[in-house]
Amino acid sequence: MPAPVPPARPADLARPQPPAATPAAPQQDSKRQGEGAPPAAPATATEGACLRALGAVSGNRIRPPEPKLIATSDPACQIVEPVTVEALAVRNGDAPGQITFEPPVTIGCELARGLADWLEGSLQPLARGYFGRDLSRLRVGGGYECRRRNRQSAGPISEHATGRALDIFAFSIGEPKAGGFDVVVEKPAGLLQARFVQAIRHSACGAFSTALGPGSDAAHANHVHLDIQARRSASTRFCQ
Ligand SMILES: [Zn+2]
């Protein structure tokens, strides 16, 4: 069943939020917010199951987020099974490894698992195919953040506000000390890198419900935005 669209928000989103009366509840066992809460985990997910699965993979470096990072009394900004991701394992091929997130980013577990699958199934093979080297690091931003889309003062709530979105600014190929280099989304160096970024965006379009980047609009000129926004139909995607 498709999750409902987040409800309209009062116009005071941009105001600093008062601190929550109690520290944010830990990820598991917390009661879901009542009416007005945004779409949360899939109805089939058992609370905590995603985090347990993510933590069970050796090579995944994850930790609980700082309570103050996720403390909010705003019902539109609730994050389900929040997790701070330092690195995710990629297990395919003869050289299993890890892709680090620089800096570590706080997102919902469902997105983290989607990213893990995408890194392993698409990004690492693309890096090897294009450059003959492993992807070692993602330079990221824009994990969980209670705000509206594109930081506007009005309009729809951002997927970042529920930990269901991530922004990627650059892809590090190889290790820096061993001749590695960064492919910067805003300015790929040369045709090969530009094609690599295009291929990544193409694969992201299949793996996530939204994939935006340079050329989509001014707000996405320097990064690839991915999210797992629940849409009316599971096959509906928004890629530009
Ligand atoms: Zn974004």
Side-chain angles (χ1 to χ4, degrees), residues 14 63 81-82 105 132 211:
R63 55 180 157 86
E81 292 196 78
V105 69

Side-chain angles (χ1 to χ4, degrees), residues 147 160 167 223 225:
R147 63 172 171 85
H160 288 283
D167 297 333
H223 65 273
H225 164 102

Side-chain angles (χ1 to χ4, degrees), residues 1-6 37-43 164 228-234:
M1 189 179 72
V5 170
R164 298 164 65 86
I228 51 170
Q229 179 184 13
R231 299 194 191 281
R232 293 191 196 292
S233 156

Side-chain angles (χ1 to χ4, degrees), residues 96-114:
Q98 245 178 4
I99 294 169
T100 57
F101 285 58
E102 178 63 41
V105 69
T106 297
I107 52 179
C109 185
E110 185 190 354
L111 175 60
R113 284 188 76 182

Side-chain angles (χ1 to χ4, degrees), residues 9 27 31 33 39 50-51 65 100 103 106 121 123 144 195 206 214:
R9 296 270 303 108
Q27 45 270 37
K31 265 271 184 238
Q33 290 288 317
C50 176
L51 281 171
T100 57
T106 297
L123 248 65
Y144 175 65
R195 285 183 176 155

